[in-house]
Amino acid sequence: MAEHDANHRFAAEATVEPDHIVRARAHALELGASPISAPVGAQCAVIAAASRALNIVEIGTGAGVSGLWLLYGSPRATLTTIDSEPEHLGAARQSFAEARIPPARARFITGRAADVLPRMNEASYDIVLVDADPEGVIEYVEHGLRLVRAGGTVLVPRVLGNGAVADPVRRDRVTAAYRSLIHETQSSPAVIGALSIVGEGLLQLTTRPSE
């Protein structure tokens, strides 16, 4: 356990967060939002860069930290971000403006993801990040897999539930949903799945092209 904690601490301290994302993180904490950690954000940026993402959907805006990390990795991408909290979206708009993200590269949608996602075009996005109501995570991931193109990626931060998922005694609804999501996607022939334990955890699901 001590080695595990030391590795987490080292990864957190070694990650250099760009100044504009540091400012967005401060806004998020002032609002009481819970932004993804810098190590997880950096992983999202690498995936966005490696996939040369041009169209990204984010479910759960917060104050813009995760969206800024994704655009940091893929500067040419357009981000569609969905959140039910107008205050969070307002903070994200401010953070994007301070980061000098052109307005045409960010689309902010106020609403429940469960209502918005069914209306979005399938197989049209390179990345879908799911960071919303954990009780709806399986539904949101299913939508995400429908929305991404063949070879596109769905990203799910916080999937380890602060250690709850690894604890066999924990059987509450959210923990069971995360545990089920991990097990089912790891054995699914439709995706290539990887689970990172850095930070709060990040599940990465890349769809396989149909044969």
Side-chain angles (χ1 to χ4, degrees):
M1 181 63 73
E3 179 182 353
H4 178 268
D5 292 341
N7 288 339
H8 272 247
R9 184 168 58 253
F10 179 81
E13 293 173 352
T15 303
V16 177
E17 194 162 52
D19 289 343
H20 67 283
I21 302 181
V22 171
R23 291 192 293 271
R25 183 177 299 282
H27 291 324
L29 296 176
E30 288 171 2
L31 277 178
S34 180
I36 60 171
S37 65
V40 169
Q43 288 191 337
C44 292
V46 167
I47 293 166
S51 61
R52 299 182 180 180
L54 294 178
N55 295 292
I56 301 172
V57 175
E58 177 184 47
I59 305 168
T61 307
V65 172
S66 50
L68 288 173
W69 267 117
L70 289 164
L71 292 179
Y72 180 72
S74 189
R76 295 173 54 220
T78 298
L79 173 74
T80 299
T81 184
I82 305 163
D83 203 293
S84 60
E85 297 288 341
E87 188 177 15
H88 290 182
L89 287 165
R93 287 179 187 273
Q94 179 182 343
S95 295
F96 276 52
E98 291 176 357
R100 299 184 179 179
I101 303 294
R105 288 184 52 214
R107 178 186 177 206
F108 299 89
I109 298 178
T110 305
R112 294 176 63 251
D115 297 329
V116 176
L117 294 172
R119 302 197 299 268
M120 301 183 76
N121 294 330
E122 63 181 61
S124 298
Y125 300 91
D126 302 299
I127 293 174
V128 174
L129 184 139
V130 177
D131 188 20
D133 174 18
E135 292 193 355
V137 66
I138 292 178
E139 177 186 358
Y140 298 149
V141 169
E142 289 174 349
H143 278 297
L145 292 172
R146 178 183 64 82
L147 294 178
V148 294
R149 59 172 173 78
T153 299
V154 175
L155 300 172
V156 190
R158 310 180 206 277
V159 74
L160 294 177
N162 293 320
V165 171
D167 182 355
V169 176
R170 292 287 299 271
R171 298 181 182 275
D172 59 275
R173 181 177 176 182
V174 170
T175 299
Y178 278 137
R179 195 177 287 137
S180 175
L181 175 65
I182 293 168
H183 287 315
E184 289 181 13
T185 54
Q186 290 297 302
S187 60
S188 171
V191 299
I192 300 171
L195 176 61
S196 168
I197 61 171
V198 170
E200 61 275 28
L202 180 68
L203 182 62
Q204 306 157 58
L205 306 171
T206 296
T207 59
R208 295 179 183 270
S210 57
E211 298 180 359

